[in-house]
Amino acid sequence: MKYAVLGTGMVGHSLASKLIALGHEVRMGARNPNSKEASKWADENGSLAGHGEFSAVSAWAERVIFAVNGARILDVADAVTNQAVAGKTVIDVTNPLDMSRGMPPTLIPEMSNTTSAGEALQTRLPDAQVVKTLNTMNHEIMVNPGQVPGSHDVFVCGDHETAKNETIEMLGEFGWTEPVDLGPLAAARGTEGMMPFWLRMWSVAGNANFNYKIVRS
Amino acid sequence: MKYAVLGTGMVGHSLASKLIALGHEVRMGARNPNSKEASKWADENGSLAGHGEFSAVSAWAERVIFAVNGARILDVADAVTNQAVAGKTVIDVTNPLDMSRGMPPTLIPEMSNTTSAGEALQTRLPDAQVVKTLNTMNHEIMVNPGQVPGSHDVFVCGDHETAKNETIEMLGEFGWTEPVDLGPLAAARGTEGMMPFWLRMWSVAGNANFNYKIVRS
């Protein structure tokens, strides 16, 4: 499968490298076509790896992953263009965090509570098939659930069943055997809304090596 | 111990009845001193049970539990008065939900994200010692953690150590052996912020008999 991973931070690196390890073709996307981070990653990850500008890698890919700063997600969507992702599964792993008020960050009001970053992305890219997932945990756990011992959960939601199934397939390759399907993309209001809790938990745990499990009878 | 449980809904009933079963003296508080729900509860719960108006039961009690509609919490605080709870542990189990927009409810902007219902309550009752807990689960699980099989978590936060310890003691009587201490009351922004997720999870689970566990290594 051809994946574009948009974002050159830790999340983008973890996802892109895992997809390469799984045998996929991956291009890391950045605003700058000559991004040092993206070209360095591509150089280090063999013949299946490449990089390029947001819209170019998105147009090339079969599946597109948004792993950018959540506060910038709509700017990145504009750079990608609706045309480049029309009919494609777009996997959004971002959180709409406002880092400008100090620590811990808060949610961006325009992208939370009565809406979400996932829904805002879908509105900005109307012909994409947006699925929200993986945004409730540290990037290392995203691609290696075994890093946290025992059973714990990943959540998925979206309005397009085929795209959701493709995402669940990818999650399965990562090691997530039973993703919890929360239904429509609007459920991203719930999973993105867990980030303020996550940040508090991170603070008291002293590390990010934890995850949620929904315990039920 | 003398507990005032403010609120005559399902949450108030569960907490008040459990505290009676544990041998505490409990008065259920309502806005109306002749509340039918509160007097019925008192009649059915023996000699340790009573009821009365918000401020009267709060002034009588050693510990006060807010189990009211989260949207009304500040109105109730005004009825209680700061004087009635000065120096006392005030346990807040509410969530600031706006039911006016249809289902699922959203968070009330004035009491979420950059603040919380717990913090708003502390500000309105400055001499109380507010502790937030139990607001992340169904009322039956609050007082009977064994209703969900296996291990799962309750969270506690507050700015007053003695009050937090008293709350942890009460949680222990309910069966919560290892509450997760999230630190200051501002962490209520995190736990109250989980409610939109909870509501989505409730919808797909088909029942409220589930709870969060934080899995860590």
Side-chain angles (χ1 to χ4, degrees):
Chain A
M1 198 65 57
K2 292 177 177 176
Y3 280 93
V5 176
L6 311 185
T8 61
M10 290 185 294
V11 180
H13 273 78
S14 287
L15 291 166
S17 297
K18 179 70 172 192
L19 289 163
I20 289 285
L22 289 165
H24 296 292
E25 290 182 72
V26 181
R27 292 190 184 170
M28 182 176 278
R31 185 171 299 279
N32 178 350
N34 302 312
S35 160
K36 279 186 187 169
E37 294 85 356
S39 64
K40 180 167 184 287
W41 176 83
D43 288 347
E44 293 173 349
N45 280 274
S47 60
L48 292 172
H51 74 101
E53 181 273 332
F54 285 137
S55 64
V57 299
S58 298
W60 164 84
E62 294 165 286
R63 297 176 186 170
V64 177
I65 302 179
F66 272 70
V68 298
N69 177 342
R72 299 278 175 84
I73 193 170
L74 298 184
D75 290 343
V76 174
D78 289 342
V80 164
T81 76
N82 184 51
Q83 190 184 348
V85 291
K88 296 179 184 175
T89 296
V90 168
I91 301 167
D92 171 22
V93 307
T94 70
N95 283 299
L97 295 179
D98 177 359
M99 307 285 188
S100 71
R101 294 164 178 261
M103 290 300 289
T106 54
L107 294 171
I108 297 170
E110 294 75 19
M111 289 200 281
S112 59
N113 197 21
T114 56
T115 183
S116 61
E119 290 165 278
L121 183 62
Q122 180 69 81
T123 300
R124 196 62 72 101
L125 297 173
D127 294 324
Q129 301 198 339
V130 176
V131 178
K132 190 92 200 187
T133 193
L134 289 171
N135 62 305
T136 51
M137 68 190 74
N138 175 263
H139 65 101
E140 294 178 356
I141 304 169
M142 289 182 183
V143 297
N144 181 19
Q147 179 154 326
V148 172
S151 107
H152 45 93
D153 288 317
V154 66
F155 310 104
V156 59
C157 64
D159 296 333
H160 304 276
E161 286 310 306
T162 302
K164 197 187 280 185
N165 288 336
E166 288 186 5
T167 302
I168 289 171
E169 175 190 275
M170 182 194 78
L171 293 172
E173 293 181 62
F174 289 176
W176 296 102
T177 53
E178 294 184 75
V180 177
D181 186 345
L182 290 175
L185 189 59
R189 301 174 195 184
T191 60
E192 295 173 11
M194 294 169 92
M195 190 46 50
F197 175 89
W198 190 94
L199 292 159
R200 299 282 173 176
M201 191 66 219
W202 181 38
S203 171
V204 299
N207 66 71
N209 201 38
F210 62 87
N211 194 20
Y212 303 101
K213 177 176 174 60
I214 306 302
V215 183
R216 18 182 181 167
S217 49
Chain B
M1 197 67 56
K2 293 178 177 177
Y3 281 93
V5 176
L6 311 184
T8 61
M10 289 185 295
V11 180
H13 273 77
S14 286
L15 291 166
S17 297
K18 179 70 172 192
L19 288 164
I20 288 286
L22 289 166
H24 296 291
E25 290 182 72
V26 181
R27 293 191 183 168
M28 183 177 278
R31 184 171 300 280
N32 179 349
N34 302 312
S35 160
K36 279 184 187 168
E37 294 84 356
S39 63
K40 182 169 183 287
W41 176 84
D43 289 346
E44 293 173 352
N45 279 274
S47 60
L48 293 172
H51 75 100
E53 182 273 331
F54 286 137
S55 64
V57 298
S58 298
W60 164 83
E62 295 165 286
R63 296 176 187 172
V64 178
I65 302 179
F66 272 70
V68 297
N69 177 342
R72 299 277 174 84
I73 193 170
L74 297 185
D75 290 343
V76 175
D78 289 342
V80 164
T81 77
N82 184 51
Q83 188 184 349
V85 291
K88 296 179 184 174
T89 296
V90 169
I91 301 168
D92 171 22
V93 307
T94 69
N95 283 299
L97 295 179
D98 177 359
M99 307 284 188
S100 70
R101 294 165 179 260
M103 291 299 290
T106 54
L107 295 170
I108 297 171
E110 294 74 19
M111 287 201 281
S112 60
N113 197 22
T114 56
T115 181
S116 61
E119 290 166 278
L121 184 62
Q122 179 69 81
T123 300
R124 196 61 74 102
L125 298 173
D127 294 324
Q129 302 197 338
V130 176
V131 178
K132 189 94 200 183
T133 193
L134 289 170
N135 62 305
T136 51
M137 67 191 76
N138 175 262
H139 65 100
E140 295 178 356
I141 304 169
M142 289 182 183
V143 297
N144 181 19
Q147 178 152 325
V148 171
S151 108
H152 45 94
D153 288 317
V154 66
F155 310 105
V156 59
C157 63
D159 295 333
H160 304 277
E161 285 309 306
T162 302
K164 196 186 280 185
N165 288 336
E166 288 186 5
T167 302
I168 289 171
E169 174 190 275
M170 182 194 78
L171 293 172
E173 293 181 64
F174 289 176
W176 296 103
T177 52
E178 293 185 76
V180 177
D181 186 343
L182 290 174
L185 190 58
R189 302 174 193 185
T191 61
E192 295 173 12
M194 293 169 92
M195 189 46 50
F197 175 89
W198 190 94
L199 291 159
R200 299 282 173 175
M201 191 66 219
W202 181 38
S203 171
V204 300
N207 66 71
N209 201 38
F210 62 86
N211 194 20
Y212 302 100
K213 177 175 175 60
I214 305 302
V215 183
R216 19 182 179 167
S217 50

